[in-house]
Amino acid sequence: RDAVDRFMACFENGLLPTAGAGFQSLEERLLLVAQRHLVGPVLGAVLGALHGEESFVLWSMRAARGRCGQLVGRGDRPVTVTVAGGGEVTLDTPYMEAVTPTNKPGPRRAQGSRGKGGSGLYPVLAVLGFVLRSSPYVTLRTARMATLVDSYQEARETLVGEGLDMDEKQIKSVVERLGDAGLFDREHPT
């Protein structure tokens, strides 16, 4: 209630919207503020609580091993994820990567190079539907915008207006990863 009173104090001096366009503009601005300053912190608290549930974390790691084969845990790593409204949440989450034989024949890969399967995954985030460090809502919103407009640039402009600041390369990566996941699920039904 105090936040509402402080906000209403901004309208003293007769600055209340008196027409539909002004009220709509106020609604749009309020939604962006709420997304940025309310939704992000709440989702961050939920993610923190989930990471505090040891049974859920262990179950997530078992699920990742069941789906991806031999994975080895590499401990917790800090990661920043994007949630609805464009908020960013930084948390420590378990990281796993594929077991690779060290004595296989052939040339050795240069340090820092990733293999065909990528560098690994965050199992808790994967179970929750995160794709490339984006929440399920952000992923689906990004893919939807990319399919509804004519270019990734137009999708970017629309998403920025919604508080999601992504460049064209990130949008393309999210769309491709989501498509790959859909193909995997179709070919490997559970």
Side-chain angles (χ1 to χ4, degrees):
R1 182 71 186 148
D2 289 338
V4 172
D5 291 338
R6 283 195 308 263
F7 187 78
M8 288 305 294
C10 296
F11 291 116
E12 294 174 3
N13 304 330
L15 297 177
L16 289 169
T18 56
F23 195 83
Q24 179 184 349
S25 175
L26 173 63
E27 287 179 306
E28 291 169 352
R29 286 180 293 161
L30 279 174
L31 283 173
L32 286 175
V33 168
Q35 286 175 337
R36 184 67 70 166
H37 298 289
L38 178 66
V39 175
V42 169
L43 292 174
V46 169
L47 286 170
L50 286 169
H51 280 81
E53 294 287 330
E54 185 176 354
S55 60
F56 177 73
V57 172
L58 293 174
W59 176 82
S60 299
M61 293 173 79
R62 282 193 306 274
R65 284 187 181 107
R67 185 171 172 118
C68 299
Q70 289 188 327
L71 295 172
V72 61
R74 297 294 186 199
D76 287 356
R77 293 196 179 167
V79 63
T80 300
V81 296
T82 304
V83 295
E88 291 188 339
V89 176
T90 301
L91 59 131
D92 290 332
T93 188
Y95 178 77
M96 301 177 82
E97 61 186 14
V99 175
T100 55
T102 56
N103 58 353
K104 73 178 185 182
R108 288 182 113 10
R109 186 177 298 127
Q111 186 167 355
S113 298
R114 292 183 282 198
K116 183 179 178 184
S119 60
L121 70 117
Y122 300 99
V124 174
L125 298 178
V127 163
L128 295 174
F130 280 72
V131 174
L132 296 175
R133 300 181 186 186
S134 296
S135 73
Y137 174 84
V138 172
T139 299
L140 293 177
R141 189 73 189 134
T142 301
R144 184 172 290 132
M145 271 303 109
T147 58
L148 290 175
V149 297
D150 293 331
S151 69
Y152 290 134
Q153 175 63 32
E154 287 182 48
R156 181 192 185 292
E157 291 167 3
T158 303
L159 292 168
V160 166
E162 297 177 11
L164 298 172
D165 189 15
M166 303 173 86
D167 62 31
E168 291 92 3
K169 185 176 178 181
Q170 289 172 305
I171 293 169
K172 183 177 186 249
S173 295
V174 167
V175 170
E176 288 174 348
R177 184 67 63 95
L178 192 60
D180 290 345
L183 286 174
F184 181 88
D185 288 343
R186 185 176 72 190
E187 294 170 359
H188 302 90
T190 52

